[in-house]
Amino acid sequence: MKPSTEDIISKIKQDLADDCSYYSGRIFSSMSTFPDIDSKDIFIEFLEKNAGDPTIFSGTRKIEHEVINILGNFFHNNTPYGNSVSGGSEANIVGLWAARNYMRKRKKLNNKPLNILVPETRHTSIDKAIDLLDVKAIIIPTNEDFEINIDQVEEKIDENTISIVGVAGNTVYGAIDNIEKLSEIALNNDIWLHVDAAFGGFVIPFIENAPKFDFILQGVKSLAVDGHKMLTSPIPNGNIIFKSRAITDNIIHHLPYFSGEKTESRTLVGTKSGASIIAEYYLLKWKGEDWLKEKVTTALQNASYLKNELSKRDFTILGKAKLNVFAVIPPEKMINHFTDLHKKGWRISRYRKLWRFVVMPTLEKENIDELLNTIDSLG
């Protein structure tokens, strides 16, 4: 007899028994989390939508454009162009793809060994972009706060430099590069500035004394931001936003099998989830900025509480730690207990000798207290 769907689901759950769950409240290592419950319903309702085929799903394409317009307004850009993509990795790759093609043509650098200046704290997707685009990465060290060293950026620019990457909330330390200074340098040297704000884009606007990091700065040409991180939109959901449409014209590929030469693509993938885009649209348009601010503020407050409590337990907080992702040096007595925490179901990142914490909006103070109690029991 053929097993029922319920039996199959039960078997699959057994197969997935080794997975952790965001719903456990024990995941302090991930920049993603379970989706907003309403957006989950929206996502399921529109599962059939393929945003990669506007000849069938023209309404989905319109909603995608509206998402980019809403984000453009949020990030101080009144002429935005871009796309919803699978996440920050694709957004970073597409942003630098556009940078290479645009700057190579603008500066007449065909057959030249092009280079891009990147911070040592860059996301892995930047390295993937460098590899795929066949350009050289000039790696810029960071200062004592794990922010890109501005002086060395200026020193390393040469005639073949086409872009600078600044990170607005890096993955390990949560540090925010001085995007305002990078913008000045980019403008002075006619270089494309790409901002990786995949995590920090929806956080930085709500922190105290927030630095400028987006299109309010004239040098910023492209910005990556994820919906499936702090916005809590269902995975997969990221966005690449450009200062204007024209600067993406050199990455156009036509899809003649849809409607002759009229259908354009300026992203990597063909088929892509329309449900993700519609869910993000719902969060941005109907839940809105006040809802987001409340979520982010709670996460920042909880992160501050965790940092203070860890400091009391002799953990050393690294850098300025303004965001809800931060790194610490554990005290000697705790170094060998990382695995013990793991065995008890806690997920914290370990980077070299550092421990890294991410306090997502879905984590509550009770979860933090439970983690601290576990740390106390081990130390």
Side-chain angles (χ1 to χ4, degrees):
M1 178 183 293
K2 181 180 178 181
S4 67
T5 302
E6 290 77 11
D7 289 338
I8 294 171
I9 290 173
S10 178
K11 176 61 173 65
I12 292 173
K13 285 183 176 179
Q14 292 175 24
D15 294 338
L16 297 175
D18 290 338
D19 281 2
C20 297
S21 172
Y22 291 126
Y23 293 100
S24 70
R26 294 192 168 204
I27 310 299
F28 284 78
S29 60
S30 177
M31 288 180 159
S32 296
T33 186
F34 59 83
D36 171 86
I37 190 168
D38 298 320
S39 72
K40 178 181 175 182
D41 292 339
I42 297 288
F43 182 88
I44 293 170
E45 178 69 24
F46 299 107
L47 271 178
E48 73 155 344
K49 306 298 185 182
N50 173 17
D53 188 346
T55 66
I56 299 175
F57 299 103
S58 58
T60 302
R61 174 59 64 89
K62 290 176 183 177
I63 284 180
E64 181 177 8
H65 289 165
E66 181 61 18
V67 165
I68 297 302
N69 285 333
I70 293 171
L71 292 173
N73 182 66
F74 185 78
F75 294 116
H76 303 98
N77 183 353
N78 59 12
T79 59
Y81 185 78
N83 289 97
S84 293
V85 292
S86 59
S89 291
E90 185 183 352
N92 283 331
I93 292 169
V94 172
L96 292 180
W97 178 27
R100 184 200 64 177
N101 288 10
Y102 177 82
M103 296 305 299
R104 183 170 58 190
K105 183 176 181 180
R106 177 181 175 83
K107 301 182 87 170
K108 300 178 181 178
L109 293 173
N110 286 330
N111 303 316
K112 298 288 185 178
L114 309 178
N115 67 72
I116 296 176
L117 275 55
V118 301
E120 61 176 317
T121 49
R122 68 205 175 277
H123 187 263
T124 303
S125 59
I126 301 298
D127 293 330
K128 293 178 181 179
I130 296 292
D131 187 14
L132 289 166
L133 296 171
D134 193 27
V135 296
K136 178 183 178 182
I138 297 179
I139 299 171
I140 308 298
T142 59
N143 59 25
E144 64 276 8
D145 289 318
F146 309 101
E147 302 161 1
I148 193 168
N149 187 310
I150 294 297
D151 292 337
Q152 291 208 28
V153 171
E154 294 189 285
E155 291 172 6
K156 296 294 184 179
I157 291 173
D158 63 29
E159 66 275 10
N160 294 324
T161 302
I162 57 169
S163 179
I164 304 169
V165 174
V167 185
N170 66 47
T171 307
V172 176
Y173 307 97
I176 306 166
D177 290 336
N178 190 333
I179 307 299
E180 189 164 7
K181 284 291 186 183
L182 293 179
S183 174
E184 293 176 8
I185 294 170
L187 287 171
N188 290 339
N189 292 274
D190 191 18
I191 294 171
W192 183 296
L193 174 57
H194 174 75
V195 178
D196 178 3
F199 184 81
F202 285 129
V203 183
I204 297 170
F206 305 114
I207 67 174
E208 188 176 353
N209 299 318
K212 296 176 181 178
F213 73 99
D214 59 17
F215 294 99
I216 200 168
L217 303 170
Q218 290 301 304
V220 175
K221 291 287 197 297
S222 55
L223 182 146
V225 63
D226 274 356
H228 64 220
K229 290 185 169 71
M230 289 299 291
L231 191 65
T232 64
S233 183
I235 294 171
N237 180 227
N239 307 275
I240 177 65
I241 309 165
F242 295 97
K243 187 172 184 178
S244 65
R245 180 187 179 100
I247 61 175
T248 69
D249 284 348
N250 293 296
I251 61 169
I252 292 175
H253 285 259
H254 292 97
L255 309 174
Y257 40 83
F258 282 162
S259 57
E261 291 295 316
K262 293 182 180 180
T263 305
E264 296 179 351
S265 173
R266 305 184 194 215
T267 59
L268 291 176
V269 301
T271 301
K272 65 179 183 179
S273 170
S276 294
I277 297 169
I278 296 165
E280 183 181 29
Y281 175 64
Y282 161 75
L283 293 173
L284 291 169
K285 186 174 179 65
W286 275 280
K287 288 216 162 178
E289 190 172 326
D290 290 341
W291 165 83
L292 175 61
K293 181 178 181 179
E294 182 178 352
K295 285 174 70 73
V296 172
T297 300
T298 298
L300 291 169
Q301 289 171 345
N302 286 338
S304 180
Y305 172 69
L306 176 57
K307 283 181 275 190
N308 289 336
E309 291 298 317
L310 289 173
S311 294
K312 293 176 185 177
R313 291 162 173 80
D314 298 323
F315 286 77
T316 302
I317 312 297
L318 299 174
K320 295 176 182 176
K322 289 184 176 182
L323 304 185
N324 51 317
V325 52
F326 59 94
V328 303
I329 300 174
E332 191 71 27
K333 64 182 180 180
M334 284 301 301
I335 289 175
N336 294 326
H337 287 303
F338 183 89
T339 302
D340 295 324
L341 285 167
H342 193 277
K343 288 177 180 177
K344 291 178 180 291
W346 297 99
R347 290 297 179 267
I348 299 164
S349 300
R350 182 164 55 185
Y351 177 72
R352 298 171 183 166
K353 295 181 179 180
L354 311 178
W355 292 9
R356 166 184 167 269
F357 294 85
V358 187
V359 183
M360 293 300 287
T362 47
L363 289 169
E364 299 179 357
K365 185 174 178 292
E366 290 76 10
N367 304 131
I368 296 171
D369 285 335
E370 188 182 356
L371 170 62
L372 292 169
N373 288 338
T374 306
I375 289 173
D376 290 342
S377 72
L378 294 172

